[in-house]
């Protein structure tokens, strides 16, 4: 149980921080001024658990600060510790090409945290964990859902923004806007995506944070055909490559694919062909497996535009194999669009793989 001198110090510190007199603090706690004075002087002891909980509640302190612990407190601490580990491991799994496993880990955590918040438990640490878990769940869903259901992924990243606003932290806000903007793009809500990503870039508190936004902004700008915004974002992203640590998004391979797709999206097919002829950068350990699928599809599109049907077919069929292994229905749908009626072998391979994947998901 809390020592008398500790409670005395806590009360004095609280009054000093908030500028309260002993009378004002006593009124807040429902005690007489003389009782507060006696506690601060060590003449009175407060040992009753209910009374200590009351003080903690009124001063907005975690109960364990006043020496009160119970199974609920222990459960909360375990939940937070477990939750942070779950979010980290889920992101590692997603980056390693196992997004479905990430979803399986995250949705029970999100459900538990939301139920806790609904019951009135809104501890700051739990809310921060909820924001991170929702972002992770939305991003992982964005990998494993087919195109017609990608709005679900955007829904979960959007829900994180409600919590993130509570913290008013530029780094956290930038991350949330970046991840939500990318899911909006994948769901086809391109104007909203660009809006979120521009805001994320403007709020980025440092170069590393801004570097993480720029490739996604370039992608979204290319999708809406905004050549000026695309060129600006991709050029700045390339310039920052030598100044920040490489990640699964911020690396030469990812920027190569984004550049090819953006050049096509902004109507510069010949420039895309010339860029592809220069060859892709050497892969590095920072490149996530799904980026290999994305790059194969985009490069296949460029080959097809250049009239190389055989090369395009080989690339797209290779993408189908990788997308099937990683359970990426959205990428299989991209292959179907890229192959169209021109590359029947690639189209049939993608169609069969997508049918099998959907059957497995429905089982």
């Amino acid at each position: 149980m809390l020592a008398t001198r500790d409670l005395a110090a806590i009360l004095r510190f609280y009054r000093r921080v908030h500028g309260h007199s002993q009378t004002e603090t006593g009124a807040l706690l429902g005690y007489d001024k003389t009782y507060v004075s006696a506690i601060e002087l060590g003449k009175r002891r407060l040992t009753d658990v209910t009374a200590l909980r009351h003080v903690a509640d009124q001063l907005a302190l975690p109960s364990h600060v006043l020496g009160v612990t119970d199974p609920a407190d222990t459960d909360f601490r375990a939940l937070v510790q477990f939750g942070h580990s779950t979010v980290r491991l889920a992101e590692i799994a997603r980056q390693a090409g196992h997004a479905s496993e990430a979803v399986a880990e995250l949705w029970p955590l999100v459900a538990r945290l939301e139920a806790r918040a609904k019951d009135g438990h809104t501890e700051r640490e739990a809310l921060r964990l909820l924001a991170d878990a929702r972002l992770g769940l939305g991003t992982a869903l964005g990998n494993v859902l087919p195109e017609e259901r990608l709005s679900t992924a955007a829904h979960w990243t959007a829900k994180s923004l409600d919590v993130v606003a509570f913290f008013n932290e530029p780094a956290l806000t930038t991350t949330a806007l970046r991840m939500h903007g990318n899911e909006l793009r994948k769901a086809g809500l391109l104007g909203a995506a660009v809006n979120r990503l521009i805001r994320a870039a403007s709020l980025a508190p440092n170069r590393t944070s801004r570097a993480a936004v720029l490739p996604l902004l370039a992608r979204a700008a290319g999708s809406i055909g905004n050549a000026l915004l695309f060129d600006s974002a991709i050029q700045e992203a390339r310039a920052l490559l030598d100044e920040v640590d490489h990640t699964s998004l911020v690396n030469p391979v990812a920027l190569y694919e984004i550049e090819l797709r953006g050049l096509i999206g902004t109507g510069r097919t010949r420039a895309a062909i010339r860029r592809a002829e220069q060859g892709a950068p050497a892969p590095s350990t920072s490149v996530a497996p799904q980026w290999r699928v994305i790059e194969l599809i985009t490069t296949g599109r460029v080959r097809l535009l250049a009239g190389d049907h055989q090369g395009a077919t080989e690339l797209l069929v290779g993408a189908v194999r990788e997308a099937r292994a990683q359970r990426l229905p959205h990428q299989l749908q991209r292959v179907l669009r890229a192959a169209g009626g021109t590359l029947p072998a690639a189209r049939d391979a993608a169609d069969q793989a997508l049918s099998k994947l959907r059957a497995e998901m429905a089982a």
Side-chain angles (χ1 to χ4, degrees):
M1 190 61 67
L2 187 74
T4 300
R5 63 178 179 275
D6 293 334
L7 178 57
I10 288 170
L11 285 178
R12 285 196 298 271
F13 183 77
Y14 177 86
R15 291 198 302 104
R16 185 164 65 250
V17 168
H18 294 276
H20 286 184
S21 65
Q22 289 181 335
T23 299
E24 291 170 322
T25 300
L28 176 65
L29 298 175
Y31 299 151
D32 185 80
K33 170 191 173 182
T34 57
Y35 191 74
V36 174
S37 177
I39 293 174
E40 290 189 3
L41 292 172
K43 296 179 180 179
R44 295 296 300 267
R45 294 177 59 84
L46 203 61
T47 58
D48 180 71
V49 171
T50 301
L52 288 168
R53 285 190 184 281
H54 168 73
V55 172
D57 289 342
Q58 293 304 112
L59 301 186
L61 295 171
S63 59
H64 68 80
V65 171
L66 298 185
V68 180
T69 59
D70 59 20
D73 296 320
T74 302
D75 179 69
F76 169 66
R77 289 195 296 276
L79 171 63
V80 170
Q81 184 177 10
F82 165 79
H84 285 303
S85 296
T86 298
V87 171
R88 287 194 299 271
L89 291 173
E91 179 60 13
I92 291 171
R94 187 184 73 82
Q95 294 291 358
H98 304 290
S100 57
E101 286 85 346
V103 172
E105 291 292 331
L106 285 169
W107 77 258
L109 174 63
V110 171
R112 187 175 180 187
L113 288 168
E114 292 197 338
R116 184 180 177 85
K118 189 175 182 180
D119 288 339
H121 299 286
T122 55
E123 303 92 343
R124 184 179 181 87
E125 193 171 6
L127 289 177
R128 177 61 181 264
L129 177 58
L130 176 58
D132 290 340
R134 282 173 170 171
L135 284 173
L137 178 59
T139 304
L141 285 169
N143 286 169
V144 303
L145 291 178
E147 290 177 343
E148 61 271 17
R149 294 179 56 198
L150 284 175
S151 59
T152 300
H155 163 79
W156 282 108
T157 52
K159 288 191 72 174
S160 74
L161 294 176
D162 299 334
V163 182
V164 165
F166 169 78
F167 293 93
N168 194 30
E169 297 177 9
L172 178 60
T173 303
T174 298
T175 298
L177 287 169
R178 167 173 60 83
M179 296 170 77
H180 181 48
N182 193 45
E183 296 309 319
L184 286 171
R185 177 193 62 79
K186 289 157 67 175
L189 302 172
L190 302 179
V194 169
N195 177 277
R196 302 297 191 281
L197 292 166
I198 288 176
R199 187 177 169 214
S202 68
L203 291 174
N206 52 54
R207 290 183 176 182
T208 298
S209 183
R210 186 172 175 86
V213 177
L214 291 170
L216 298 180
L217 178 57
R219 241 184 183 184
S223 296
I224 62 172
N226 188 329
L228 185 63
L229 180 59
F230 168 77
D231 289 345
S232 173
I234 199 71
Q235 288 168 13
E236 186 180 353
R238 279 200 300 263
L240 289 174
L241 276 180
D242 294 332
E243 301 182 30
V244 301
D245 292 335
H246 290 186
T247 67
S248 63
L249 180 64
V250 183
N251 64 75
V253 174
L255 291 188
Y256 169 74
E257 187 280 333
I258 291 170
E259 184 176 8
L260 289 182
R261 201 191 306 194
L263 288 171
I264 295 172
T266 54
R268 291 173 284 183
T269 301
R270 290 183 180 179
I273 294 171
R274 287 195 300 271
R275 181 67 185 89
E277 288 173 346
Q278 296 172 10
S284 66
T285 55
S286 61
V287 180
Q290 57 263 38
W291 273 101
R292 175 58 178 162
V293 180
I294 295 169
E295 182 203 337
L296 286 170
I297 298 170
T298 300
T299 308
R301 289 181 61 198
V302 175
R303 292 283 190 188
L304 180 59
L305 290 169
D308 181 5
H309 288 203
Q310 181 178 349
T313 297
E314 291 174 357
L315 289 166
L316 293 177
V317 170
V320 169
R321 286 195 298 268
E322 294 285 343
R324 177 72 180 90
Q326 295 181 44
R327 302 173 62 85
L328 303 174
H330 172 44
Q331 300 306 328
L332 292 171
Q333 289 170 308
R334 284 190 64 212
V335 173
L336 284 171
R337 286 199 302 276
T342 308
L343 305 175
R347 184 195 62 229
D348 292 346
D351 190 43
Q352 292 174 19
L354 185 59
S355 296
K356 291 178 181 178
L357 189 53
R358 281 176 164 159
E360 292 172 4
M361 294 172 67

